[in-house]
Amino acid sequence: MTGTTVPTIVIVPGMREHVEDHWQTVLAKRLGDAGRTVHTIPPLVRNRLSRDAHVANLVEVMVQITAPVIIVAHSAGVMTTVQWAQWHDADVRGALLATPPDFGTPLPGGYPTPDELATHGWTPVPRKPLPFPSIVAASSNDPLGSAGRVAELAREWGSRLVELGPVGHLNPASGHGPWPPAEELVEVLERGWGHTAPRPPA
């Protein structure tokens, strides 16, 4: 790990409400129980589809942190993180970006339409390299983003791609609650790229 300060973990969920058995919730508790400082971005109660509101929600937490940060984002939380990184700066040592949705193509029924995403500021999706190391963890059968499109985003963001196999959207709805490999990937980010490259978790 670069430096002597242990990074604070910032959990960035998607647009969901709090889900007790979601892997991000489980990870936050495990790391907190281990003595780590963890901040979870709270869900919005208003303007839940607004990009600006989600970014402001992240900013409100980040400005209170004086330590370096590791970001752990999932789903639309990845897009919030990528949008935030275009205009804001912090000592981010790395980001785990798990199963980002593809906002460039229509999502399944029940999700925002392309017009709704554009109206609320989510598109076009930023394609510039991120200013910090990142790992994109991709599913081979994610209904919210094809493996090819997610791999393309990873390349453009300058992220390392870790292929998880057929894990759906990596959420309880796809049969995934706790996700132990998240801790391993956080450790990889903390060690930095000069030690161990990420490998596909079992």
Side-chain angles (χ1 to χ4, degrees), residues 1 8 16 20 57 59-60 69 73 92 98 120 127 130 143 161 186:
M1 185 189 312
T8 292
R16 60 180 167 80
E20 192 63 34
N57 208 20
V59 168
E60 186 174 347
V69 167
V92 178
H120 288 87
R127 300 295 183 118
L130 294 171
L161 181 68
V186 167

Side-chain angles (χ1 to χ4, degrees), residues 9 33 48 64 168:
I9 307 297
D33 289 346
R48 291 183 60 191
Q64 300 176 45

Side-chain angles (χ1 to χ4, degrees), residues 23-182:
W23 65 266
Q24 285 181 304
T25 308
V26 175
L27 177 67
K29 185 177 187 309
R30 284 181 58 84
L31 293 176
D33 289 346
R36 299 295 298 270
T37 301
V38 182
H39 294 272
T40 298
I41 307 302
L44 292 174
V45 295
R46 294 185 300 174
N47 301 322
R48 291 183 60 191
L49 197 52
S50 166
R51 177 203 65 183
D52 290 347
H54 281 275
V55 170
N57 208 20
L58 177 55
V59 168
E60 186 174 347
V61 171
M62 293 290 279
V63 297
Q64 300 176 45
I65 299 171
T66 57
V69 167
I70 297 286
I71 294 173
V72 178
H74 173 251
S75 189
V78 174
M79 295 306 177
T80 298
T81 300
V82 171
Q83 295 278 0
W84 168 84
Q86 307 306 303
W87 299 287
H88 302 278
D89 190 22
D91 185 5
V92 178
R93 299 293 170 85
L96 172 57
L97 309 174
T99 57
D102 177 15
F103 283 172
T105 60
L107 299 175
Y111 289 92
T113 66
D115 284 346
E116 288 174 322
L117 291 171
T119 296
H120 288 87
W122 292 103
T123 55
V125 173
R127 300 295 183 118
K128 295 192 302 184
L130 294 171
F132 41 75
S134 57
I135 295 171
V136 168
S139 169
S140 62
N141 65 342
D142 188 347
L144 272 66
S146 71
R149 294 278 292 186
V150 171
E152 181 182 329
L153 288 173
R155 287 193 299 271
E156 292 178 335
W157 293 337
S159 306
R160 294 202 173 194
L161 181 68
V162 172
E163 297 174 344
L164 304 178
V167 297
H169 195 50
L170 196 62
N171 59 1
S174 60
H176 296 85
W179 182 45

